Amino acid sequence: MKKRPFGRHDFGPVEQVTLESPDAAVSILSLGCAVRDWRIDGARGSLPVVLGFPRLEDYVLHARAHGAVVGRVANRTAKGRFELDGRTWQLAQNDGLHHLHGGAVGLDRRVWAMEVDTAAETVRLAYLSPDGEEGYPGRVEFAVSYRLDGARLVCEMSGRPDRPTPINLAQHNYYNLAGTGTVRDHVLEVDAPDFTPVDAELIPRGVIRSVEGTALDFTAPRSLEEADPDGAGIDNNLVLRAGRDPGEPAARVHCPRSGVSLRLRTSEPALQIYDGAGASVAVPGHEGQIYGPFAGLCLEAQHFPDSLHNPDWPSIIRTPEQPYLQRLEVEIARR
């Protein structure tokens, strides 16, 4: 594992660690636990399969959670407001009237303490979120670890609060299995028979519906272009099949141009699919590319968006006795 300085942020110095295996090389930043780069075809691999940037200032000024861990609560919370223990809590409203991905300065914009465990071939990151940060109640000790096992990246996330508080993290890579161009040709299959419909502001309507006959039906493999031929964009939460084996892939993606495939395993009940339709960035990324519409595909394993307003959905309230835990495995290789 290789560790080096990556720049200096207002919150302190930012470091980068590169995990290497015979199959891949993955670079992690202490800023937001971000996966900055992921190369396959060997430890000095040539094909970049996630979107990222060469300079710290690009992340500070232009990134849209590229590669980061987002939270305390990922996705959207309507009006940034919720009730807990008889009290109303007001969160930062950074998406119009709503709260998105932990607020204006969420976990993705914090500098985490980074520790390299060479014996375990693991990088561990820690951040202590104080009581009241972005409006959230309670103090939370967050920890994230990444380990590269051949072609598979294992990410474990935890949050230990000192009082009941909502926690729902998501790892926010933008994948492009061709390394360039758009992801419209990527073929996606997800073990998700249902989804949560949203309104015009992408807030769930509080119901669960079948994906059958919709653009979100990936129960059998089909390309993003086939699912959305008009290019309107996909940004919605899929409900993973109840009772599925978490050891089996919840999602599979294949790029016919490159022959590269992705398999994702998760402990979470849902997967947000975002095809990057509105995620253009003006500064160059890997190989000098400018990332335009549909440049990357996000597969955000998480609990349902706006869970705090839908008590019948899986709860995201965590306590000292029941802390937050998530395990995510993503394998990318030619096959």
Side-chain angles (χ1 to χ4, degrees):
M1 291 187 287
K2 299 175 181 177
K3 185 176 182 180
R4 68 173 181 86
F6 190 72
R8 186 166 186 88
H9 191 279
D10 289 346
F11 297 144
V14 176
E15 298 177 302
Q16 173 180 279
V17 167
T18 300
L19 307 172
E20 296 184 344
S21 78
D23 304 296
V26 180
S27 297
I28 311 294
L29 297 180
S30 60
L31 178 65
C33 308
V35 175
R36 190 190 72 82
D37 199 3
W38 185 335
R39 304 274 171 155
I40 67 168
D41 298 337
R44 294 184 299 276
S46 60
L47 184 66
V49 292
V50 298
L51 308 190
F53 305 97
R55 305 181 307 166
L56 177 60
E57 51 263 43
D58 298 334
Y59 282 92
V60 174
L61 298 175
H62 301 287
R64 303 185 64 174
H66 282 74
V69 170
V70 297
R72 291 186 189 186
V73 173
N75 218 306
R76 290 169 177 84
T77 298
K79 305 296 190 293
R81 188 182 302 123
F82 67 97
E83 305 286 330
L84 180 63
D85 294 336
R87 178 175 170 182
T88 299
W89 297 89
Q90 180 63 60
L91 305 176
Q93 293 167 289
N94 62 312
D95 185 46
L97 294 176
H98 311 300
H99 180 81
L100 175 64
H101 288 336
V105 190
L107 298 181
D108 61 309
R109 294 188 172 273
R110 302 291 176 176
V111 176
W112 295 51
M114 175 181 275
E115 176 184 292
V116 175
D117 185 340
T118 53
E121 298 183 342
T122 298
V123 57
R124 295 189 173 92
L125 302 107
Y127 176 70
L128 178 60
S129 180
D131 181 27
E133 187 168 79
E134 296 299 292
Y136 287 102
R139 186 183 70 174
V140 182
E141 297 176 2
F142 286 104
V144 171
S145 70
Y146 289 101
R147 176 173 58 87
L148 183 62
D149 181 8
R152 179 180 58 174
L153 185 67
V154 180
C155 177
E156 294 183 327
M157 299 171 251
S158 67
R160 184 172 295 277
D162 66 354
R163 59 181 289 185
T165 194
I167 304 176
N168 180 25
L169 306 184
Q171 207 287 332
H172 205 282
N173 282 343
Y174 288 79
Y175 298 101
N176 186 317
L177 302 184
T180 187
T182 79
V183 296
R184 296 272 289 159
D185 65 341
H186 285 33
V187 177
L188 178 61
E189 181 180 9
V190 185
D191 190 5
D194 300 303
F195 75 110
T196 50
V198 295
D199 63 19
E201 296 181 310
L202 300 180
I203 300 298
R205 298 181 182 276
V207 297
I208 296 174
R209 295 286 184 260
S210 170
V211 298
E212 186 175 358
T214 75
L216 299 172
D217 188 354
F218 294 102
T219 53
R222 65 172 175 169
S223 72
L224 293 169
E225 185 171 19
E226 181 183 358
D228 178 32
D230 297 329
I234 295 173
D235 189 5
N236 213 315
N237 175 62
L238 298 183
V239 179
L240 297 175
R241 180 172 56 83
R244 66 184 181 85
D245 181 355
E248 292 296 317
R252 295 177 171 87
V253 185
H254 178 73
C255 176
R257 273 181 293 148
S258 64
V260 174
S261 294
L262 177 154
R263 295 178 181 175
L264 181 148
R265 296 172 175 85
T266 178
S267 60
E268 297 300 280
L271 192 69
Q272 182 86 10
I273 306 298
Y274 176 47
D275 61 7
S280 298
V281 182
V283 296
H286 297 316
E287 321 298 342
Q289 296 181 67
I290 297 295
Y291 301 134
F294 306 107
L297 171 65
C298 297
L299 305 169
E300 304 162 49
Q302 59 189 291
H303 275 55
F304 301 177
D306 205 33
S307 291
L308 291 168
H309 294 129
N310 293 279
D312 293 337
W313 292 355
S315 176
I316 64 169
I317 300 300
R318 295 294 176 261
T319 67
E321 298 75 27
Q322 292 184 310
Y324 176 87
L325 294 171
Q326 182 188 155
R327 180 181 173 88
L328 174 70
E329 297 182 8
V330 180
E331 180 182 358
I332 303 177
R334 294 190 191 272
R335 56 170 63 88

